[in-house]
Amino acid sequence: MSDGGVSPAELPRRSPVYRELAFAGARFVEAHGGAVAESFAIDAAAEIRTARRLALADFSLLPHLGFKGRETVDWLRRQGVDVGDRDNLAYRQSDGALAARLAPREVLLISDVAGRSGLCKRLAAAASIDEEIEAFPVPRGDGYFWFLVSGERAAAMFAKVCGVDLRTGKFSELEIAQTSVARMNAVVVRDDLGDTPAYHILGDVASAGYLWACLLDAMEEFDGGLAGLGTVRRLAGL
Amino acid sequence: MRCPLNGPRNISEFVYGGEVVGMPDPETVSDADWADHVFLEDNRRGVVREWWLHVATAYWFIAERDTATDEIVRTYPSSDVFTERVSFPVPGGKGGGT
């Protein structure tokens, strides 16, 4: 299992795929109240090559939070969040977090890939005191798993499990597809790591293990592998 | 089918939700007309307005579809048709019970 003594099961928060991560030989570090998989391979350079080719990473413990309601966008703007007018587009914040506008009345906030953004925490605290405002928080941090698929071969792999064309020429950076991935509902956001194409995938936590296995299976023919958050950070230049 | 929120998607991502019809006033309508509203569909031939759901986003919208050719003529948000909030008076004030 892990070599650093951090055991996911002994910490308060657990990723829905922590058993899969441990089984795959993850090296865990303590962060965000749980154990995040920092790396898998002994050879860090090899793991970076994998991530450039095709890799799956688990972000589920990193901050993510949703908001719904008639006044969602106005309320978020008053809180200093940059949300544009177009649906199905993610808007980059100054701290690297993304505000993904899913619908006129729904926004999903995800932290930067290093997990340093304090935006979700700040907004969760702010929301609790604005009871009269029609913008209510949705606890996606607990309800949604969050994976990232990176690499030049990612779009080819997605073509097996997803009807939307995610090739980089057809699906721009920060564009969102809310669609069926391996026959389950998911939110896909393109957010490249430097010059490596990358896609966030978020969906119902109850199906996290299913989709994790589906994606690994779909990735096999493209020589895909696993990447830890340390590898993802290095690719993103963070 | 083109979802007004998400753009073109495979038809397998959508679910049919019945005809778009106006609701008679529940206070004054006759039982026969209410039963007609709740249970019966026109099932007309030609271009009809229908509710459709994009399952991946739980987004309901309206489609105009030709029932003879199965061609989807156009799709648009329900807010284009329903512009006012419908609320029902609850006897005794707050809370309707179950």
Side-chain angles (χ1 to χ4, degrees), chain A residues 157-223:
Chain A
M157 184 281 292
F158 272 121
K160 292 167 70 179
V161 292
C162 175
V164 178
D165 189 348
L166 298 178
R167 284 177 295 174
T168 51
K170 298 280 184 181
F171 190 71
S172 308
E173 222 189 327
L174 302 184
E175 220 175 311
I176 299 171
Q178 301 176 76
T179 186
S180 171
V181 177
R183 295 197 172 259
M184 62 168 280
N185 301 332
V187 178
V188 179
V189 185
R190 183 175 159 205
D191 181 18
D192 292 356
L193 306 169
D195 56 3
T196 302
Y199 304 85
H200 301 290
I201 310 175
L202 298 100
D204 192 327
V205 73
S207 304
Y210 160 77
L211 191 65
W212 183 264
C214 274
L215 290 175
L216 282 179
D217 182 63
M219 286 162 64
E220 201 174 313
E221 70 170 289
F222 299 102
D223 203 13

Side-chain angles (χ1 to χ4, degrees), chain B residues 44-66:
Chain B
R44 276 193 301 114
R45 185 176 193 274
V47 176
V48 296
R49 286 201 307 189
E50 297 171 331
W51 284 106
W52 281 82
L53 170 72
H54 180 243
V55 177
T57 47
Y59 179 74
W60 284 101
F61 61 95
I62 295 172
E64 289 180 6
R65 185 176 68 93
D66 190 320

Side-chain angles (χ1 to χ4, degrees), chain A residues 87-115:
Chain A
D87 295 322
N88 279 320
L89 200 62
Y91 299 88
R92 178 91 59 201
Q93 309 302 304
S94 56
D95 65 357
L98 290 178
R101 180 173 165 138
L102 303 182
R105 297 177 180 184
E106 182 170 7
V107 174
L108 173 66
L109 299 141
I110 61 177
S111 86
D112 61 307
V113 296

